[in-house]
Amino acid sequence: AALKDGLRSQVSAALKEGRVTPTELCQRCLALIRSTKFLNAYITVAEETALKQAEESEERYKRGQPLGILDGIPIAVKDNFNTAGIETTCASNMLKGYISPYNATVVQKLLDHGAVLLGKTNLDEFAMGSGSTDGVFGPVRNPWSYSKQYKEKSVPKPCSEDEESDWVITGGSSGGSAAAVSSFTCFAALGSDTGGSTRNPAAHCGVVGLKPTYGLISRHGLIPLVNSMDVPGILTRCVDDAAVLLGSLAGHDPKDSTTIQDDFKPFELPNLTDISKLSIGIPKEYHAPGLSSEILALWSKAADLFKMAGAKVVEVSLPHTRYSIVCYHVLCTAEVASNMARFDGLEYGHRSDMKDSTESMYAATRREGFNDVVRGRILSGNYFLLKQNYEKYFVKAQKVRRLIANDFVKVFRSGVDILLTPTTLSDAAPYTEFIQEDNRTRSAQDDILTQAANMAGLPAINVPTALSERGLPVGLQFIGRSFQEKQLLTVAKWFEKQVQFPVIQLEEVKRHDNGVFQHQKSASFS
Amino acid sequence: LAPWIPVVGLEIHAQISSNSKLFSGSQVQFAAPPNSLVSFFDASLPGTLPVLNRRCVEAAVMTGLALNCSINKKSLFDRKHYFYADLPAGYQITQQRVPIAVNGSLSYSLYIDKKMSQMVTKTVRIKQIQLEQDSGKSLHDDTRCQTLVDLNRAGVGLMEVVMEPDMCCGEEAAAAVRELQLILQTLGSSQAVMAEGQLRVDANVSVHHPGEPYGVRTEVKNINSIRFLAKAVDYEIQRQIEELENGGTILNETRAFDSKLGCTVPMRDKEGKQDYRFMPEPNLPPLILYDAKSLPANMNHQQVINIDWIHERLPDLPSVKREKLVEQYGILPEHSFTLSNEDGLAEFFESVVKQTQMKPKKVIGWILNDLLSYLKQHSLTVKESPVSSFLLADLLNLLEKKEISSTAAKQVFVELWKGEGKTPLEIVKEQKLELLQDQKELEQICQAVIDGQENE
């Protein structure tokens, strides 16, 4: 289906004009969530509060005083963001039943703009993983598993194997958010991105996944994985929507000392017509081992696209790319070991019944509360932080991190504006295949193309590009200069227009579609 | 027997006097209801982040300048990890790599001997001053087998002042701490009241023979007053000497001072040596301070700290105040030392001097010999003195005008001490202590006495 400007319905305009009300929109989304429950994208659906927010939004529209373009728009939030009064679990036993008393800054900002919070989405436990398969509430299923496009390409199973077992993963760790956006249950979702956790599932689920520059969006209220690399991520169905979300979220937060002080001005994306002044860099190291020939071909095709449209396309080198996974492993586990130290069962969260001593209570609580992945990282991290190991591992890794970041600086200084790379090594794997390898192996493999941007703090975005031979989404990644989101998104938008990624054809969506979704080829709200 | 050289170093934690905590906005207050001053950050709720308190940084800079330190224009924050009930995050935020101030010195005076006849000035090097979080408090209820945790204190700002092992005995340690306390109180950077836990001192003690390397040191904790500090240090020095002379060895351990028994005892061993797994605090960028030279032109004043600006506004330190007293009033340095060592005494003295014609050199005798000894006998502070500066000045005026003798004056003072509200003049009249000026009257009295004698 073509993304033609004239036909693209704008939900916000629809709300403003009264063609649809916020409560209708909210109810439709809630109904769709119910009928797509098998995706397991949501941990908590905040039905009551969402409807209340929708009602309040409706009142504002009636008065002709909407708070802005996000007023009444249903959104979902990854369950590692604090939401006051709504359970925040991080998909872990440690925080099951934990009701935070405060909103993360980004959540508060969305609510202040009138957005309707539908619920909290599923993830890998404490955001550790690249499949969204390792949370205590079970794995998230990629909506494309149930799409016409995928089913058409699937080899019909000869034996009576359950069709259900064929489903593919969403990628991770923000799989729930990606699935929620992909299946039309919300118009945008918040994820987090530490090593690719927003871009990876965005690629697998065929949605836009934006990782902003570190320091642009507040982390206050985002339960941290790696404080020096985490950013809140934005998942939407089109690049314009990502720009709108960014506009409402970015800016200095006094509660987060790592946000930059500079004023942030929200922007609208121009429609690029002339890209002759653009210089696109193709980093050769991103032709990583294991990259599928399909994606390699797509990447090449994309480069050609830019070339033919007049842009300068050059091969560049980021020589320290191959060290990024090991470097990440050391720094990530070290920070994890530190960040998880607060989970002792005393102040909040799970507390074991073990009472023999404080120490034994700590040990039992943490054993019961954390899964293997989390515990493994804590043990590794503590090892690297031991006095005798600190120089050898942690300090060394920090130095390597600097080298990785410098690679990008050099390339951008040489005149390159944007880097174009694949986002993932292949399309989404079937769940049964994915779980053959352990979390650490998978993470190491899957993070290779996305991780370096976190090391360097750079903005990066996944743009859905085409369907694979199996009928599953494949995306490509653009990496930009620090704080140059406008340029990054402008180029991404141009590319999105060129590739015209198809809309997912989901039975459930069709059933609930009643004019609201129907005319929206991209179902954007801007 | 070969002589022993005792070596004493100190680690002092001073609670910063500020309205709110080091990294969060909750209030700092002594003896508030348990867990009533705890912010989300203090409770280590997941997702909360530290935000540095400007006032705490200023307090540390002031203190560093007063102690002649170099202020590091760039200092860093680190996490120090260990599990304990009063440490909610499982780590303390401190400054391990690069603290805010280094390489200073503190001069202090003490009496050269027990006779308190002469004073000598000594110096102790200040290794560093670092900013760090205080922990909460845990109370062990052994009867119910539970631990009660109060997080009111968790996150309060501390300045850790590290004094090099330049001291040799309890008296020196006590004098150094006393001087530090006065400095902190003068600056206002800490109220430094030991009884309220605002000033905590740990002593590092070792002994060695001259020419030999330093001995194994022990750390002595649980010292609750300056008096006990001197006792604890001296006890520990003695203990170590005796142990070594008996052929024993000193363990590198932590000992607690038992004030009732007057000795140090080994503290329960916390599973051997702890590895704190120090790591940079990723949520706090390096702390950058400026001076007049380095301050960028377009910088918002609210956002930066200018070391020179703080330097210009430092109040007179105790040593300067003492010198001024000597200069202004012609009193001895020893007198000035005693005056400033007692809370409010210098002000009392100056107040009396203002209200009397008696020379300060004479007034000081009354302050130090009479007033102060009475206060000490009755364990009273200057504030609690039943004799106000007004009353004492009144009395001294009578003496100065020769309306009474000095013996009579002492008597009146005893009477004033009863605090019955009588003025010196009233007491003099009551007890008929007036000096007789009339020659004839005197002759009559003398004659009467002689006559009386003749009759015997």
Side-chain angles (χ1 to χ4, degrees), chain B residues 405-418:
Chain B
S405 70
S406 59
T407 325
K410 303 265 182 206
Q411 252 180 276
V412 174
F413 188 78
V414 175
E415 202 59 36
L416 278 176
W417 194 261
K418 292 193 187 142

Side-chain angles (χ1 to χ4, degrees), chain A residues 361-375:
Chain A
M361 191 274 279
Y362 286 158
T365 295
R366 291 161 70 79
R367 191 186 347 109
E368 291 162 17
F370 293 137
N371 72 5
D372 283 354
V373 180
V374 178
R375 298 208 318 270

Side-chain angles (χ1 to χ4, degrees), chain A residues 102 219 221 338 348 382 387, chain B residues 44 47 79 81 275 277 283:
Chain A
Y102 75 100
R219 291 182 297 111
S338 179
Y348 48 81
N382 278 326
K387 202 165 173 185
Chain B
S44 79
R79 293 184 180 180
H81 301 86
D275 191 324
R277 290 160 284 126
N283 292 317

